Amino acid sequence: MGASGFEITVNTVKMLLIFLLMVQLVPILVWVERRGSAFIQNRFGPNRVGPLGLTQLLADAVKFLFKEEFRPPKSEAFLFYAAPVLALIPGALAFGSIPLSAPFDLTWGGETFSFLFQSFDLGIGIVFVLAISSLGTYALLFAGWGSGNKYSMMGAVRASAQMISYELALGLSLVGILLIYGTFSFSEMIEAQKGPLSFMLMGKNVEIPFLPNWGIFYQPLGFILFFAATFAETNRSPFDLPEAEAELVAGYHTEYGGLKMLMFYIGEYGHMMVASALLATFYFGGWDLPFGSDWLKEAIGSSFLYSLVMHLVFMTKVLLFLWVFVWVRWTLPRFRYDQLMDLGWKTMLPWALFNTVVTAVVVVLFSSVGNS
Amino acid sequence: MSEVIVFYFFAAVTLLSGLRVISTSNPIMSALYLVGSMVGISGLFFLLNAPFIAAVQLMVYAGAVMVLFLFVVMIFDTKDDGKKGNSPGPLVGGLKALSIGGLAGIFLYVILFKISNFGYLSPDPSAPQFEVKNMAKLLFTDYMFSFEVLGLLLLVIPIGTVALSRIRGGTHAK
Amino acid sequence: MEAIVPILVLTLVVATFGTLLVYVSSLFGPKQHYTRTKYLPYECGLPGQETEKTTISVRFYLTAILFIVFDIEILFMYPWALVYKDFIAAGQGAYIFWVMFVFIALFLFGLIWEVRSKALEWD
């Protein structure tokens, strides 16, 4: 975390702020979801509490705070209480390892320190996020088993089976991106996506000036697969069978009430934010503004302000994807469980393999022709 | 300095979780302590400058194998044994005490007399910071045959599972 | 690795935050009144239909085992993707491609075999 006291302080403050950013985005997301779903369904959403209904979730949180503290007596106390806390941890850790903006410098006492706009930087960016996401199944299993209710248990087992099936498709669709960029680190991937679209074709360096060098132009199929897989990973419609009301009541969080239930939702929205941030980083250039970042960097002198402006660019992309999440939820009907598992194993895995092989072939052909 | 503290933290987590696996009577808590042990080992890999292996340990062991174990324990709905059980006779009790004592004695002997450099072993400073590329290059050149055989082994596992579990007729499905 | 300390600190912060939320919510609010209906596990309001034996299909178990196997195979592709361009630059592009192609062929064969043996069918 740095050697001198100043570095440690700034890093700690930065880590806390990023975590709070994630937590504070949740009320905004819920508001977007409720108003957006209302708009799609041709009705008003919450518009009485506060201006435009913005403080609705604050009122809801206060209401949740005063709910009765209930623990079903046949349940296992430690697991029951640990599950909501465990639901927060993977999302927060994964969100902390994604660069949210450009690195910046701060001077203190004559020395200039360089800081990254992320809680911590690991050389193995992607793999860490996947590893932490795979620990997310434990929150579901704890909640299901800890409730002492057989319907919760069944819901939890179904939900975790769904999650692990789509983790395969998720991991495999990322191999294409890795083949192209040759690095695990997010910052290097964002660096490689700067500038206009350029690649080697038949020995010549082709450059298309009006398109940015984003990952989506290199991996369109990978984008579609990754996009669909993250829907299933976050238990989000149309894959939200474990939470569907007609099915198993509320699935694995049936027996939860009050603030513990809210923590599951924070965890779910946290995962959504991580998924949107990953989509923005891999396929849409991260915090980089396509044709403006260079002159912006010179126009804004201080690297700190530049960092903040680029953060706004990143958050715009992330919010765009979050809106797409909400939009898809209220547009598509839900999948049946066997359709869901069939889609994961029989459709997405083979297509992801196909994507990998084709990408590998293309990289070999284009690079070797160019190099020889 | 901070690395030493973190090392002892992870080592303690691993060892204590491992101990609690066998000393707790609730099978679900036993599985969960095993998960804790895996996470501790992953942290130790991190400290040895092997972050990729640490993440793979988390993803495969803590994220897949232990989920499988938990499925099994939860599905079969095994109950807490409690502390009751058959009290061992003198012969069995004596064998237990002898084996545990013998094992502890071996550990103590090795620690006290055989390890000369007793302390936190820092990773080799001349080793590269990021080991994945070197490992990959070795894997696909020197150990390529082992790699392909591993693929074959991973093919045999699903076939064996289906044959053993006989889902929908097992390997002789219509 | 010096990134481990922020990770541990962040985990501690998040766990503390979560625990505080759970604890604070238990302080406010009415205390639990133990009525008999609240005791029963929730079953859409119908009383006492829960039997002790709950059977969960063995297909979940099979899904978990297949997940382990395919997860390991996918994890082998990650270092491969990392050094792919290095091999190409050293002139060994075709070699590295065919090495993994054999592996992917085994993967695909396993997957197709699973699908055709109807082990992944959910009824």
Side-chain angles (χ1 to χ4, degrees):
Chain A
M1 278 171 73
S4 72
F6 175 66
E7 255 190 294
I8 296 181
T9 320
V10 171
N11 276 327
T12 315
V13 168
K14 190 180 55 168
M15 181 180 1
L16 290 174
L17 281 181
I18 290 180
F19 173 59
L20 284 177
L21 172 73
M22 188 189 105
V23 172
Q24 292 304 320
L25 266 181
V26 172
I28 300 180
L29 269 184
V30 175
W31 178 81
V32 165
E33 169 132 26
R34 289 170 79 162
R35 291 289 295 219
S37 69
F39 168 63
I40 291 175
Q41 294 172 347
N42 207 13
R43 58 180 172 90
F44 291 121
N47 60 353
R48 297 204 182 269
V49 186
L52 285 180
L54 276 171
T55 50
Q56 172 72 40
L57 196 69
L58 191 62
D60 280 344
V62 171
K63 178 188 77 168
F64 275 130
L65 198 60
F66 289 102
K67 291 278 189 193
E68 176 182 337
E69 164 66 21
F70 176 72
R71 172 172 87 81
K74 278 198 210 168
S75 65
E76 175 100 30
F78 173 67
L79 294 181
F80 186 74
Y81 286 118
V85 178
L86 204 57
L88 292 177
I89 294 182
L93 280 179
F95 197 64
S97 66
I98 302 177
L100 304 175
S101 182
F104 59 93
D105 304 319
L106 287 178
T107 47
W108 175 264
E111 260 189 87
T112 308
F113 299 99
S114 176
F115 296 104
L116 297 168
F117 212 110
Q118 46 191 118
S119 292
F120 43 84
D121 182 34
L122 297 166
I124 48 149
I126 290 188
V127 187
F128 178 73
V129 171
L130 280 181
I132 294 289
S133 305
S134 70
L135 293 181
T137 45
Y138 284 112
L140 301 186
L141 286 174
F142 283 17
W145 179 259
S147 301
N149 180 356
K150 73 171 175 182
Y151 294 111
S152 292
M153 188 63 228
M154 280 166 51
V157 171
R158 283 166 72 152
S160 48
Q162 171 192 321
M163 267 185 87
I164 62 181
S165 305
Y166 281 88
E167 262 171 44
L168 292 174
L170 200 76
L172 199 48
S173 62
L174 289 177
V175 177
I177 283 284
L178 285 179
L179 278 171
I180 291 183
Y181 291 122
T183 172
F184 285 150
S185 155
F186 293 117
S187 314
E188 291 179 25
M189 275 192 222
I190 294 178
E191 279 296 317
Q193 291 185 42
K194 288 186 173 169
L197 187 63
S198 70
F199 48 89
M200 305 273 289
L201 184 66
M202 305 298 178
K204 289 185 323 213
N205 198 10
V206 173
E207 187 167 304
I208 304 179
F210 55 88
L211 288 176
N213 200 15
W214 281 350
I216 187 169
F217 299 113
Y218 292 105
Q219 284 275 295
L221 181 59
F223 168 69
I224 295 174
L225 288 170
F226 183 75
F227 186 59
T230 48
F231 271 93
E233 270 296 295
T234 56
N235 272 348
R236 207 47 207 177
S237 233
F239 298 97
D240 67 347
L241 200 69
E243 301 177 350
E245 281 173 10
E247 283 288 323
L248 292 169
V249 195
Y252 57 90
H253 45 73
T254 308
E255 298 277 0
Y256 284 92
L259 220 56
K260 298 194 284 291
M261 176 85 156
L262 203 63
M263 282 164 68
F264 276 116
Y265 275 102
I266 298 180
E268 178 178 322
Y269 284 113
H271 277 240
M272 266 170 65
M273 279 186 258
V274 170
S276 307
L278 285 179
L279 275 168
T281 308
F282 293 146
Y283 298 103
F284 287 91
W287 48 258
D288 184 54
L289 192 60
F291 299 106
S293 55
D294 289 334
W295 67 258
L296 255 183
K297 191 165 182 124
E298 285 157 24
I300 309 176
S302 144
S303 69
F304 186 61
L305 285 179
Y306 172 68
S307 200
L308 285 179
V309 170
M310 286 296 125
H311 183 58
L312 283 178
V313 173
F314 184 76
M315 290 316 279
T316 312
K317 295 183 188 177
V318 168
L319 285 172
L320 214 71
F321 281 114
L322 287 171
W323 166 247
V324 173
F325 268 96
V326 173
W327 187 13
V328 169
R329 176 179 186 175
W330 297 102
T331 309
L332 293 181
R334 189 175 282 142
F335 285 132
R336 231 171 41 219
Y337 195 69
D338 60 321
Q339 290 174 331
L340 204 151
M341 299 297 265
D342 281 353
L343 186 70
W345 288 93
K346 299 182 190 167
T347 308
M348 288 180 72
L349 262 188
W351 276 109
L353 274 177
F354 172 73
N355 180 36
T356 308
V357 171
V358 166
T359 310
V361 166
V362 165
V363 169
V364 165
L365 285 181
F366 282 10
S367 303
S368 63
V369 169
N371 276 343
S372 63
Chain B
M1 181 56 201
S2 65
E3 286 188 341
V4 181
I5 300 178
V6 175
F7 166 73
Y8 278 115
F9 170 70
F10 277 121
V13 164
T14 309
L15 288 176
L16 289 176
S17 301
L19 200 62
R20 285 294 288 162
V21 170
I22 53 175
S23 65
T24 186
S25 54
N26 186 354
I28 295 213
M29 293 311 287
S30 196
L32 290 182
Y33 279 119
L34 194 55
V35 175
S37 195
M38 302 291 181
V39 171
I41 295 180
S42 170
L44 290 174
F45 273 129
F46 237 136
L47 289 170
L48 286 173
N49 271 342
F52 181 69
I53 304 291
V56 167
Q57 164 92 7
L58 275 182
M59 208 184 318
V60 172
Y61 263 116
V65 175
M66 291 315 300
V67 168
L68 178 68
F69 275 33
L70 274 175
F71 269 16
V72 171
V73 174
M74 288 179 181
I75 286 174
F76 290 118
D77 202 16
T78 45
K79 290 282 186 290
D80 191 337
D81 265 2
K83 291 282 190 230
K84 64 184 191 305
N86 302 326
S87 56
L91 180 61
V92 176
L95 277 176
K96 279 187 188 176
L98 199 65
S99 55
I100 292 179
L103 205 59
I106 294 177
F107 279 154
L108 276 175
Y109 172 67
V110 168
I111 290 174
L112 290 176
F113 296 112
K114 290 296 183 186
I115 295 183
S116 50
N117 177 17
F118 193 34
Y120 166 65
L121 290 172
S122 35
D124 185 7
S126 67
Q129 273 292 321
F130 191 42
E131 88 292 9
V132 189
K133 288 206 174 188
N134 294 333
M135 179 191 85
K137 281 180 186 153
L138 270 183
L139 184 66
F140 296 114
T141 50
D142 291 344
Y143 298 99
M144 189 265 292
F145 181 67
S146 316
F147 175 66
E148 304 294 349
V149 169
L150 185 70
L152 197 61
L153 179 68
L154 289 171
L155 171 63
V156 168
I157 294 177
I159 298 179
T161 313
V162 169
L164 281 178
S165 62
R166 297 180 139 254
I167 289 181
R168 286 181 177 258
T171 47
H172 299 288
K174 307 282 172 296
Chain C
M1 293 218 67
E2 68 273 5
I4 191 76
V5 175
I7 295 179
L8 286 179
V9 171
L10 187 60
T11 312
L12 195 66
V13 166
V14 175
T16 313
F17 175 75
T19 315
L20 263 176
L21 275 187
V22 171
Y23 181 64
V24 161
S25 78
S26 75
L27 285 179
F28 295 105
K31 291 300 161 208
Q32 194 168 3
H33 306 291
Y34 289 97
T35 62
R36 196 164 171 273
T37 25
K38 273 199 232 174
Y39 251 51
L40 301 173
Y42 183 67
E43 297 194 24
C44 303
L46 300 173
Q49 290 200 344
E50 172 171 328
T51 58
E52 281 306 311
K53 283 285 174 223
T54 65
T55 52
I56 300 184
S57 169
V58 73
R59 276 190 197 88
F60 289 106
Y61 185 68
L62 187 66
T63 305
I65 293 186
L66 289 179
F67 167 62
I68 297 178
V69 173
F70 292 130
D71 204 24
I72 296 178
E73 300 196 355
I74 289 173
L75 279 174
F76 271 108
M77 292 194 210
Y78 273 58
W80 170 71
L82 211 61
V83 293
Y84 197 68
K85 285 200 167 172
D86 295 345
F87 270 82
I88 292 179
Q92 305 272 335
Y95 167 75
I96 190 70
F97 173 71
W98 288 112
V99 164
M100 187 48 88
F101 188 75
V102 173
F103 192 75
I104 289 183
L106 290 171
F107 182 152
L108 199 61
F109 182 66
L111 187 62
I112 293 177
W113 194 89
E114 278 302 315
V115 169
R116 290 202 46 157
S117 76
K118 300 197 189 305
L120 285 173
E121 291 292 323
W122 291 82
D123 47 26

